[in-house]
Amino acid sequence: EGISPAMGFGAIWCQFAQTTFYYPAVLAYIASTLSYVFAPGLAHSGLYTTVVIIVLFWASVLFAARGVIAADRLASWGILIGTLIPGLLLVVMAGIYLLQGRHSAAPLNAHHVLPPWHGLTSVVLIVNGFFTYAGVEVNAVHVDDLRDPAREFPKAILLAVILVLLVFIPPTLAISIAVPSQHISLTAGVMQAFRTLLDHFRLSFLEPVIAIGLVLASISGLLDWLGGPSTGLVHIGRERGYLPRYFQQVNANGVQVRILTTQGVVITAIGLLYALVPTVSRAYWIFAALATEVYL
């Protein structure tokens, strides 16, 4: 309504299209994290990553088809169990680790507050920053489901911003304290830090539990994205006739399953690329960069 129907459709289409690259990236992270439950060596296996991407995405589509309420319940518990609690544990362990006089893998002084500048190529590092914070506005498509949108939605966004800052900044510093930068994996870095710190405190038995919690959080976030851009796409597509009739149809729970299914076919094809790229981290970076480019 603010920027004209055609431009609005273009905007929501870009938001939807970027998720086609986002899902393989986040599912690769889930695959790497999940491997720490039974075989950490698989975190660097392209074939294993491909299988997990395909299986988990289609399972998520089946779950999302049950409607917004089912996804929201999982998301709420996922944030608590798989994000806030592990994040707090990681920060606390890293803090105690330093207080014990242990050496930090990353230099912690004023000279290193800003990243080193190596010319234009250094700008590329901000890509993952944008990618990490992308999506805080996606939930606007559900604003009509709130009892008092004018009051509740701004409060929800403010809470989200605070949680995002708390979840991303201190735990990231904790990872850099525990794992040397040259050894940090883009998909398994969190579990690398947990393994180092848990081993130090002789709490290794918690590693599979934490991995399962992180996977739960990531899947809940995936479900939020599944129900976001595609919902906006089908709403304006039906209202203005911008989508073919086939894609305007929703199931009994009001979920645009046909759009998600078609997207799933494309994501399955993309997921197969993980089996061909030399390193999982490299494939993750490619898809994260593509998603961010389309998003911006």
Side-chain angles (χ1 to χ4, degrees):
E1 291 182 3
I3 59 175
S4 84
M7 288 292 290
F9 180 77
I12 199 69
W13 166 256
C14 286
Q15 197 177 57
F16 171 76
Q18 71 94 13
T19 64
T20 303
F21 303 109
Y22 164 78
Y23 296 142
V26 74
L27 285 166
Y29 163 76
I30 292 174
S32 294
T33 303
L34 190 61
S35 70
Y36 277 77
V37 177
F38 48 86
L42 289 175
H44 307 290
S45 168
L47 181 60
Y48 159 77
T49 302
T50 292
V51 172
V52 173
I53 286 174
I54 294 172
V55 171
L56 280 187
F57 182 80
W58 285 105
S60 298
V61 169
L62 289 173
F63 190 87
R66 298 175 58 189
V68 173
I69 294 176
D72 280 356
R73 285 173 181 164
L74 177 59
S76 298
W77 282 105
I79 290 170
L80 178 64
I81 297 172
T83 302
L84 300 182
I85 293 176
L88 180 62
L89 178 61
L90 189 63
V91 171
V92 169
M93 287 195 299
I96 297 174
Y97 182 83
L98 291 177
L99 290 173
Q100 290 178 338
R102 299 288 177 173
H103 175 70
S104 169
L108 299 176
N109 54 54
H111 179 66
H112 291 90
V113 169
L114 296 176
W117 177 256
H118 299 300
L120 188 61
T121 53
S122 296
V123 178
V124 177
L125 294 174
I126 205 171
V127 165
N128 216 41
F130 283 128
F131 179 60
T132 302
Y133 291 97
V136 72
E137 81 294 339
V138 169
N139 291 302
V141 299
H142 301 304
V143 76
D144 289 338
D145 299 323
L146 298 174
R147 287 187 297 271
D148 185 3
R151 228 176 104 260
E152 293 178 347
F153 191 67
K155 285 172 62 178
I157 292 296
L158 177 61
L159 178 62
V161 169
I162 294 171
L163 288 177
V164 163
L165 293 173
L166 290 176
V167 165
F168 285 132
I169 297 175
T172 300
L173 288 173
I175 293 171
S176 63
I177 288 169
V179 186
S181 60
Q182 64 269 27
H183 298 307
I184 296 178
S185 164
L186 292 178
T187 54
V190 177
M191 288 308 301
Q192 286 176 320
F194 268 116
R195 166 163 280 195
T196 299
L197 293 170
L198 289 173
D199 285 348
H200 173 74
F201 291 106
R202 298 180 182 178
L203 297 171
S204 301
F205 63 92
L206 288 177
E207 188 176 289
V209 178
I210 290 170
I212 291 171
L214 292 172
V215 167
L216 178 63
S218 298
I219 291 176
S220 67
L222 173 66
L223 289 170
D224 271 347
W225 270 103
L226 278 173
S230 57
T231 298
L233 194 66
V234 78
H235 278 181
I236 192 170
R238 296 177 78 180
E239 181 183 313
R240 295 284 174 169
Y242 290 155
L243 289 177
R245 286 188 179 275
Y246 178 83
F247 292 116
Q248 293 181 27
Q249 303 302 313
V250 295
N251 68 5
N253 295 316
V255 178
Q256 51 287 349
V257 176
R258 291 182 177 181
I259 290 179
L260 295 179
T261 301
T262 305
Q263 187 180 31
V265 173
V266 177
I267 288 170
T268 298
I270 291 175
L272 292 172
L273 294 176
Y274 272 93
L276 304 176
V277 176
T279 63
V280 173
S281 275
R282 187 175 298 176
Y284 172 87
W285 178 259
I286 290 170
F287 291 123
L290 284 169
T292 307
E293 186 174 338
V294 177
Y295 182 82
L296 292 177

